Amino acid sequence: MAQVDRSFIGEGIAYARAYQSQDALLDIGNCDVFNISYQTNRIALPNYRGGGGNRNVRDRVTDVNTTLGLWDLTPENIARATRATVTEVDTTPIPDEALACAGVLGELIPFKHLPDLTVAPVLKTASDTALVAGTDYLLNQHGIIVLSTTNITSAGVKASYTPRGASVIQMLTAPAVELEIYIAGLNDAQSGEPYSLRVHRVKLGLVSQMQAFGQEYLKLEIPGEALADDRITGTGISKFCQMDMAA
């Protein structure tokens, strides 16, 4: 039988859910990388009988590493990459939030939460004197910029505003995440032929960096390790991952 072309260029959608859960498998966004790599511990028994070489050798798998490349910076993905907890901001209007400042021209005074600018904030001095937008301060998407120090002083200001709907991501406050990952893949070298890759248990590591400023789209490249899933039993069935390829 003649050899047929079985070249492979993988693409598709990555789905994930918490390990050992019955949660829905949800699309985690635009991924350009999902790699599995293996490390082994090699022990060789030299041949002492003449002629050199080895009498025997053993390669034992020590690590099954993964790499996940994410381009969609959802709060959930950032939390997975930085071991964070995520909470949602209460959008109930906040009256007279006390804000500390130095009373310096050009100073940014950020609100505790990002303001909803469709509802005009009301600013006052610490002694409840009204402040005038465009004269005393300039409103921006984070708070205000001081334009005049006549009324804005080191005594601080008060802001009444409505918080914008947002997620608060508290980094390095949670344990490492364990996920079940399902790759719904297509082989772009074979006219979109389907394949799947199910990794039963992946423990995610920390990203080495998260670039807050840059000139390119930010990518989260998350290392991880596929761990043995002891829920899986049976002869010839992997505790790590399974790949299905269309005939």
Side-chain angles (χ1 to χ4, degrees), residues 58-77:
R58 186 196 73 170
D59 277 325
R60 180 179 177 273
V61 176
T62 56
D63 300 286
V64 183
N65 296 316
T66 63
T67 304
L68 177 63
L70 287 170
W71 292 93
D72 284 323
L73 268 70
T74 62
E76 292 79 13
N77 284 341

Side-chain angles (χ1 to χ4, degrees), residues 15-26 28 80 176-182 198-204 225-233 238-241:
Y15 295 84
R17 64 182 168 196
Y19 172 63
Q20 286 188 315
S21 79
Q22 295 300 313
D23 296 344
L25 279 167
L26 296 178
I28 62 175
R80 288 163 176 156
V177 175
E178 290 194 16
L179 298 176
E180 175 187 349
I181 294 178
Y182 184 93
R198 186 189 294 270
V199 188
H200 305 301
R201 181 187 179 193
V202 177
K203 190 168 188 176
L204 298 183
E225 183 164 352
L227 303 176
D229 185 352
D230 290 332
R231 300 175 304 168
I232 298 173
T233 59
S238 174
K239 292 180 178 292
F240 295 90
C241 56

Side-chain angles (χ1 to χ4, degrees), residues 88-103:
E88 300 305 312
V89 172
D90 183 354
T91 56
T92 302
I94 297 174
D96 292 340
E97 180 177 273
L99 302 171
C101 64

Side-chain angles (χ1 to χ4, degrees), residues 17 31 38 66 75 77 100 128 133 155-157 175 195 205 215-216 218 238:
R17 64 182 168 196
C31 301
Y38 304 94
T66 63
N77 284 341
D128 292 330
V157 298
Y195 76 92
Q215 300 303 310
E216 303 291 340
L218 174 59
S238 174

Side-chain angles (χ1 to χ4, degrees), residues 104-111 132-148 152:
V104 175
L105 286 176
E107 176 184 4
L108 169 67
I109 306 177
F111 298 167
V132 180
T135 299
D136 295 308
Y137 65 89
L138 176 67
L139 184 66
N140 73 11
Q141 295 188 77
H142 300 271
I144 62 171
I145 301 291
V146 177
L147 296 181
S148 170
I152 300 179

Side-chain angles (χ1 to χ4, degrees), residues 14 19 42-43 57 64 68 131 152 165-166 168 173 176 190 194 196 225 242:
Y19 172 63
R42 185 173 184 274
I43 301 175
V57 66
V64 183
L68 177 63
L131 295 172
I152 300 179
V168 178
T173 58
Q190 301 295 334
S196 67
E225 183 164 352
Q242 172 184 320

